[in-house]
Amino acid sequence: IEATDVGREQAELALRMAMGRYTNGIGTDLDVVTAQVALQTAKTSQVQAVINYNVAQVQLLEALGALTAETVAKGVRIE
């Protein structure tokens, strides 16, 4: 999950740079749109990483035989 944070931060920086270049007349609108797409992709990757992490936690609880109504209700986390 932390690795996707870095990817999002880099994509945000790339977008700011593309917008700055466009504003100053040395970049194109395509550069900005491409950077926007990259940022959206990075954000999607972050969400998918969180989902994958949560699914893995549930699978581990299930494999350990610890997946019960009580653990689900308590929101037990594996650290």
Side-chain angles (χ1 to χ4, degrees):
I1 294 174
E2 291 175 14
T4 61
D5 291 340
V6 172
R8 181 190 42 79
E9 290 168 2
Q10 290 175 342
E12 287 172 347
L13 176 61
L15 177 57
R16 285 193 302 272
M17 291 172 59
M19 290 175 69
R21 286 191 302 272
Y22 179 74
T23 300
N24 291 308
I26 56 174
T28 66
D29 55 348
L30 179 59
D31 296 333
V32 174
V33 171
T34 300
Q36 288 172 331
V37 170
L39 177 56
Q40 190 59 46
T41 300
K43 288 180 178 181
T44 301
S45 293
Q46 275 189 304
V47 171
Q48 190 61 54
V50 171
I51 291 169
N52 291 344
Y53 175 79
N54 290 335
V55 168
Q57 281 191 319
V58 169
Q59 289 171 335
L60 180 57
L61 285 172
E62 185 178 35
L64 295 172
L67 188 60
T68 64
E70 184 179 331
T71 58
V72 171
K74 286 183 179 180
V76 174
R77 291 185 57 106
I78 301 169
E79 298 296 331

